[in-house]
Structures are given as C-alpha cells and as structure tokens.
Amino acid sequence: MVEAAAAGNSALLIAPTGGGKTLAGFLPSLIDLAERPREGLHTLYISPLKALAVDIQRNLEEPVAEMRLPIRTETRTGDTPESKRRRQRANPPHILMTTPESLALMIAYADAATIFRHLRCVIIDELHALAGTKRGDLLALGLARLSRLAPQARRVGLSATVAEPAQLLAWLSKSGHADGGDVRLVTGRAGASAEVDILTTRERLPWSGRMAMHALKEVYQRIRAHRTTLVFVNTRAQAELVFQELWRLNDDTLPIALHHGSLAAEQRRKVEAAMAAGKLRAVVATSSLDLGIDWAAVDLVVQIGAPKGASRLVQRIGRANHRLDEPSRALLVPANRFEVLECRAALDAVAAMSLDGERPRPGGLDVLAQHMLGMACAEPFRPDDLYDEVVCAAPYAGLARDEFDDVLDFVATGGYALGNYERFHRLTMREDGRMAVAGPAVARQYRMNVGTITQEAMLRVRLSRGPVLGEVEEHFIQGLTPGDTFVFAGQLLKFLGIREMEAQVAKGGTGEPKVPAYAGGRLPLTTALADRVRAMLADPAQWPGLPEDVQEWLRLQRWRSVLPARDGLLVESFPKAGKRFLVVYAFEGRNAHQTLGMLLTRRMERMGCGPLGFVATDYVLAVWSLRTPKDMDGLFDQDMLGDDLEAWMDESSMLRRTFRNVALITGVIDRRHPGQEKSGRQVTFSSDLIYDVLRKHDPGHVLLRATRADAAGGLTDVRRLSDFLVRVKGRITHKDLDRISPLAVPVILEIGRERVDGSATDELLEQAAADLVAEAMPELGSDGDSQGRLTL
C-alpha cells in the first residue's frame, strides 16, 4: 500500500479481518504527514457506520500519540455537535473520519473548495457494504465532486469480503473505467481458518420461528465460558428479545449490554467505550457492530438465526479474536429446521471461500436528483460540466444525457405535472447559463434532509423527566394505549403518552410486554446460499452431520413426497381444513416469494381456483385456495412478469411506499423542517397525493421511473424472480398429496401467527406444531417427538 501511494496510485486492498487493513490504508498518510507536516485536511476516511468511524479514530490516535506525530484526527457524523462541525470547517483536522451522508453535506457548502483543497487521500472502509446501494451511489457522486475539488487525491478501498473484485475496482476508478484499470489491486495473505460450530441444542428444535429463544440457556453458558462474546442477531426487535432473555438467565450478573441503531447515540457510545475497555462480557448487537469494529478482546461470536449470506457471516466471524495468526471462533444458532440447513450451507460456502455478490445496477435517479440540488447549494453549475463529472462515478457511467436532463428539469421545476407549483421550483437559470439554488430556504431544507436512508417516521422515547433512550417507529407507538408495557433499550417500559413528538415512558409496568418492530429489518436469503440449500436438500450424501431429527425430517419427506431438486421446482398440493394448499419450494428469498405469491393469486383467480391468501418465508411459499390449479407449467409461466406484474404493481400499496422513499430522497417530500418534523401520516398523505397526480398526468415522470426501478430491484426482487422462472421452466414436479407433507409443516405454521414482527416466542407455536406433525407423520406419535424412530 505504501508503494501504491508513492506511485500516486489509487488502490483496493482485500485482506482478511485481523490482517491490518485499516493501518495499511492510513500508513501512507501518516508517512506523508510525518515527513511533510502541514495544516489542512489531508486524509478523509469514510465509513458505512458512525460507530466504526468513532472506533477507527480511537484506534488511530494510539499509534499517532506513540510516534509523537503532530497529527490531529477527528470524527464528523450525525452525532457530532453543530459547534464542532463549524469549527472543523474553519480549521479542519489532518485526518477526518466521516460517513457518506456527512460528506454529502460538506461538499454542499460554498467553502467546500477551501476545505478540500489540500486533500491527498480518501479511504473508503468496508467498501463492499456501500457499493451497489443508494448510499454507495451518493458516495460515488461525492467522490466525483472531490476529484474536481482535489484532483491530486488518491482513492483507497478496504474490504475483507469481496465476491467480485473487478466490480469494486471499477467503482473506485476516478474515470468510471469499467475495468478499474487506474486502480491497483493489493491482496493480503490468508489468515488462520475460523473455527465455527453449529449449536446442537439439547432442547427440541423448533419447526418454525425466528427468535431461537429455545437455545439461549446454552448461549448463556457459552458467554460464561468466554471472556467477551459478541451476540449478533438479524433485527432490532430480536436484539431486544434476546437481550431480555439473556438478562433473565444472568444469575451471575455478568455485564451484558445491548447495541442497535435505534438506541440513543449516548447509550451506543457508552457500550462501545465499555467494550473497547474490556468491561463487558457480552454485547447483543445487530449489523450496527458487524463492520470493522476492532475489539481484540472478543474471543467468541454468536450468530443467532441464520446469517442469510456467506459474506455477512465472514464479516461477523471476523469480529472474534481479530488476529491474523489465530483462528476466530464462532457459534451459529439456528432458530428452526430450515435454518439448520442454511447454517450448514453458509459454513460450506465460507470453507470454500465462495462469497455472495450481486450484479451491479445503475445509479438511482432519485440519488442523482439529491446530489444535483446539493451541488447547486455549493455553487452555481453549468449542466454540461456537472454531467461530465457525474458520469465519472461508476454507478452513473452509462447515464444518457437525455436522462440527466430529465432529472435536472425535475430538480429545477418539478417537471411537467408539478411545474405549476412554486414549491417545486428549486433551481433557477442565471444569465451566464449556470444553474443556481432558488433561495436560502431551499438550501436549508436540503441540508436538513440529506441522505438516502429512509425509514418510517420515528418518535423519540424519553423517560419521564429523564433522558432520551432512543427512537421507535411511529406506527408502533400509535398502537399503544397509556399503561401498555413494551421492551426497549434493554428495559421494561410503561407507555404514558405522546408529548411534542416524543413517547413519554416510565420504568416498569405489568402485563405481557410488546416489542417495537422496525420496517425493513429482515434481510433475504442470498442467491448463492439458496443454491447451496437446494443442493443439500437434493443430495442425501450431504446429510450426515445434520441433527438426527433434521435428517429424519428429510427422510420422511422423501418417503411421503419427494425432495426439491437443485435446478427444478417442487410444488405440493394437499387438503386441509376445507381448503386446498399449494406449497412452492422456491428458495428465492422472502421478497421474491412475496411478489410470486401476489402474481400466483392473480393467475389462480383467473383460473377459477378461488385463492384465499398466501404466506411467504425465505424458503417456501404457501397459497391456500378453494381448488388446486391443474396446469402447473402455465401457472409458473414467465409471462406473469409482463401484464400481471404491471397490473399488480399499479394496484399495490407497495409502489406507493416505494414512491414515498423516492420522494423523500429527492426532496419533494421533506421529513424535517426547522423546529418541526412531519409525522409518518403527513408524509404518506403528501406523497400519495403527488403519486396520484403523476400517474394520471405524467406517467413518464422521473419520480415514477425511479420508483419502478427501486421496486424491481428491492421489495419485489423482480430480477431474481425472473431468473427463477427461467431456471425451473420445464422442470416443475407437482405432487398431489392426501395430507400435509413434513417439509410443508414450517410454512403452514407461519399462517395466522401473531405478528409482532418476529417477537412471537417459540412456545406459542408448540401446540400448532404438534398437531401438524401428527398429521404429516402419524407414525411418530401425536407429540411429533422423533425419539420414536420410524423404520423405513
């Protein structure tokens, strides 16, 4: 990395966790500043997480102090006080740690050229976590602007989990080169192989559920046996539940903490500092801590629930030990039987170093619109100059000029349908041909709403006459009445009421507590991991090593029906409770399954089958109806992605939700205003009104184009669904059964579950599971206990 810097080359460093990536990224900057001391911002470090930026700054201060280097390092994130931000603009540190959103704000100020004129290096940490996302689009556009403000600045990308290095090389390229030819690839040597186990629980393994509460006694024993344990979960609701149960089991009063993105910044910082100081025995955390936090004292990582992707698992395993020459140790805790298969598939993928990677997609037009407005806030620009700058950002390298002009017209006037409203006139054309921001109010609104992270309207949770604990979604609070109890921030709280956009609470309370749910919390199963799960199901030679009850489950499935083929599709139908059930073993992830369920019910309606509903998991889709379709090939024909998809998307509320996010990113809808904040209900009403106007009067509007692109690649996962329909064409096996099959039991258990977004405990499902298992496998006994073996 030092050689690359000496040659003036940008570089992508791929090395395992514990290999010294971070210091390798910073070392050339430290050398340069030591040999040629100077004032001004020299190196900009960009992290996907605020916690990571703070951690890196803390870790970098130690060698800087030990070498007595006259170098100032600071952080600038959404948690940084405004007074410190102003001081940093006037007197920047030598090295600044920040996030993509804070960079977007900094380059939108009129003094951006002054702040960045001495910049020599930009370091992007955990690059794989940003490339291919809207935050990555915003960052790529910001880097394109930095290349104009500081053309001498090199780019450095750091990553431990890269499936396709060529894609990241292209992303880092200053010129938008498809081959990334102007970026040098540096690869670190492999470290010791990780030691990863799957928990073989002494408890009965649940058929369904996502919480893994059955295994937490054994997880607690592992915590007792190790110095420091990171317990990762997949959702914030799950984090709250797991923390509460571990605390209930904590007879030794071990110091155990909770960390997720909705907690107050002060509480998160306290947890991070205590962890760094070695004062905690365990931390229950979401992805808020799975990127790059350097805590060498961690000697065990526990993953509660299936990891959903091999790359994510590698990232989390790497948090343990953090030494290249010693193995990281991790424990996977599957929550149900299908998750046992997924955990095994993930371990096989890690052992084979087969990481997940999605194909690159074009940059979002909504993100481009936000960036255009930010650049006008900085200084007036010529459209030709800005276009030349934008296409140097890899996600926008293929952006056509007419599409750029459409976005510019929208930002300036609102476009055809919105042009009559002064509210949407945000840019003006000056006599010299430059586009300028329409006024200081527009710039102020931009700065308050910058960023691409959209979420439901949040309310702060404040202890009565006490501190703010964090934020929960508005719709959750609206479902509470004074006196209700809920679990948040690791505490049992009683809801008192809403006051000035804050939920007032007190400690304690009685009754069954609820758990806040957060939209978009669950990640879908990756394509590569799904393929491995299908391969394992289809090949009994891969079953040894699986828990005996799981192996028997699969053997019984093979006897009663058939097992899904790796490259085909198994569809089962059977009667139950006066209905006909159709179970589709697609293994394409929850988002694709939900879209498939919508399309199948529309098609079954036309076939006269009388569909009544459906439920989707990561693995399986179940549809119930009055009659079973006869033509399975016709039911799953690719043409469902034509008119059926268009009609459903036009009718569904999903497009409205997606449009709302696009409107927030582009600034058409402002969440935050000086002294006030819109509620989720107000934002939805405003975006729905604009959505209806555009659909009626301007169906080709930029906002609608961006919405459809988002829907196709996100909530509906149309590309993955399309690949699935191509793969299974001519390979569909339909089994018409007289009763439920063993493999269908988990998805049928999902029907009608009390939905607290994943907080229903496994115990609530036990009786339903026993009934279904008795029906599917009566030879095992009514309790479904597989101790009485069935001889086949």
Side-chain angles (χ1 to χ4, degrees), residues 24 110 186 257 269 271 319 321 349 467-468 471 517 537 625 648 658 732:
V186 181
R269 283 195 293 265
V271 171
R319 298 305 106 220
N321 188 39
V468 171
E471 295 181 322
L537 276 171
S625 59
W648 169 63
T658 306
I732 299 175

Side-chain angles (χ1 to χ4, degrees), residues 145 148 371-372 375-390 401 404-405 408 427-437:
R145 172 48 58 103
R148 187 174 71 80
H371 178 72
M372 283 181 176
M375 295 307 90
C377 292
E379 61 180 5
F381 63 80
R382 296 185 186 278
D384 289 349
D385 295 340
L386 186 60
Y387 175 74
D388 292 342
E389 182 181 303
V390 164
R401 180 56 193 257
F404 173 90
D405 290 337
L408 181 59
L427 300 181
T428 59
M429 176 68 80
R430 300 197 326 183
E431 291 183 1
D432 61 0
R434 296 175 186 267
M435 303 294 291
V437 69

Side-chain angles (χ1 to χ4, degrees), residues 13 20 129 202 241 263 282 292 487 531 723:
L13 172 58
R202 295 186 296 271
L241 282 167
L263 299 179
V487 173
D531 181 65
D723 292 344

Side-chain angles (χ1 to χ4, degrees), residues 171-244:
W171 196 95
L172 273 177
S173 171
K174 285 188 178 184
S175 57
H177 285 170
D179 61 357
D182 55 340
V183 182
R184 179 172 172 178
L185 177 62
V186 181
T187 305
R189 68 178 176 87
S193 298
E195 297 177 359
V196 188
D197 296 320
I198 299 175
L199 179 67
T200 303
T201 177
R202 295 186 296 271
E203 306 293 328
R204 181 182 300 179
L205 185 64
W207 290 84
S208 185
R210 295 180 287 274
M211 296 293 109
M213 305 299 281
H214 69 284
L216 292 187
K217 279 185 182 178
E218 291 155 289
V219 171
Y220 178 70
Q221 294 305 318
R222 299 295 182 104
I223 291 172
R224 287 185 62 198
H226 290 81
R227 292 172 302 167
T228 309
T229 302
L230 268 178
V231 180
F232 280 116
V233 296
N234 292 333
T235 69
R236 286 170 280 182
Q238 189 178 18
E240 294 281 355
L241 282 167
V242 168
F243 175 79
Q244 283 293 320

